[in-house]
Amino acid sequence: MKKYFIQYQPFLLFLGKFFLAYLMLTVIYQFYLNTVGDSIDAITENVARLTENTANFFGVKITTIKDYMHYNIIYRGKVTARIIEGCNAISVIILFISFVIAFSGKLKQTLLFVLGGSLFIYILNIVRIVVLSVLMYYYPAQEHILHGVIFPLIIYGAVFILWVIWVNKFSKYATKTTK
């Protein structure tokens, strides 16, 4: 049995670091959510504000109106989407950070990549919400494919590309590959 632990040590270390980071970040986020109680958390409020500001900056007149536990997005007088806590991309960012930590490299590079990648995911998510809100006005019957397939594919695809860049360029494993 010891032979297998030694043989698969890099993989087991990766799994251990990934799940530990994921668990810790998820617990911290859940603690944060529990502190806000029955109201919309500040991160989701910020996503709603930035969605409206980003759309308006590009000439797309979108309004966000606070409802009980979400924001309604209004485009051309019609509610086309809602922003709930799950729309703030924090769960995707936690997944991203956990993977980077599991394949950690030098501390400074890791921190810079985590910060830059998280910011990129956050901004991409806001753009995703703007585009989705407009498309839902014109193609409401395609909600499942737009919200459930295409846009998750875009955001998770971007995260996957960031992971590939991290592993190949910056992680401690990148320097061990021959070129």
Side-chain angles (χ1 to χ4, degrees):
M1 189 73 158
K2 183 179 177 182
K3 177 180 99 173
Y4 291 113
F5 280 119
I6 292 169
Q7 182 179 357
Y8 297 109
Q9 183 180 10
F11 176 70
L12 295 172
L13 282 173
F14 165 79
L15 281 180
K17 288 197 284 186
F18 176 83
F19 284 117
L20 183 63
Y22 188 80
L23 181 65
M24 286 176 50
L25 291 171
T26 301
V27 166
I28 290 168
Y29 183 56
Q30 286 303 316
F31 177 76
Y32 162 74
L33 289 176
N34 290 338
T35 63
V36 298
D38 285 340
S39 61
I40 301 173
D41 66 283
I43 299 169
T44 304
E45 286 184 358
N46 190 51
V47 167
R49 261 193 323 278
L50 288 173
T51 297
E52 184 174 338
N53 292 342
T54 301
N56 292 333
F57 177 80
F58 288 106
V60 179
K61 300 301 177 204
I62 283 179
T63 306
T64 56
I65 297 177
K66 189 175 185 175
D67 206 335
Y68 171 61
M69 290 295 290
H70 64 273
Y71 278 85
N72 287 321
I73 300 175
I74 300 171
Y75 177 67
R76 294 192 172 184
K78 180 180 176 188
V79 175
T80 57
R82 293 182 318 160
I83 299 175
I84 60 171
E85 177 272 324
C87 298
N88 65 20
I90 297 302
S91 60
V92 177
I93 292 170
I94 288 172
L95 187 67
F96 165 74
I97 292 171
S98 299
F99 183 88
V100 171
I101 289 172
F103 271 111
S104 61
K106 295 177 182 170
L107 181 62
K108 184 178 178 181
Q109 284 182 327
T110 302
L111 289 175
L112 289 174
F113 198 82
V114 161
L115 290 172
S118 297
L119 182 63
F120 174 75
I121 293 166
Y122 195 75
I123 292 168
L124 180 63
N125 183 57
I126 290 165
V127 171
R128 173 189 79 94
I129 295 170
V130 170
V131 173
L132 182 61
S133 300
V134 172
L135 288 175
M136 289 303 299
Y137 178 83
Y138 293 104
Y139 307 103
Q142 303 303 320
E143 177 182 2
H144 174 71
I145 192 99
L146 292 171
H147 185 266
V149 177
I150 293 174
F151 285 99
L153 183 65
I154 290 169
I155 200 140
Y156 284 109
V159 170
F160 180 75
I161 290 168
L162 287 172
W163 286 342
V164 169
I165 291 169
W166 173 252
V167 170
N168 288 319
K169 299 286 183 191
F170 302 108
S171 77
K172 64 183 173 186
Y173 300 101
T175 58
K176 292 183 180 181
T177 57
T178 57
K179 298 191 179 196

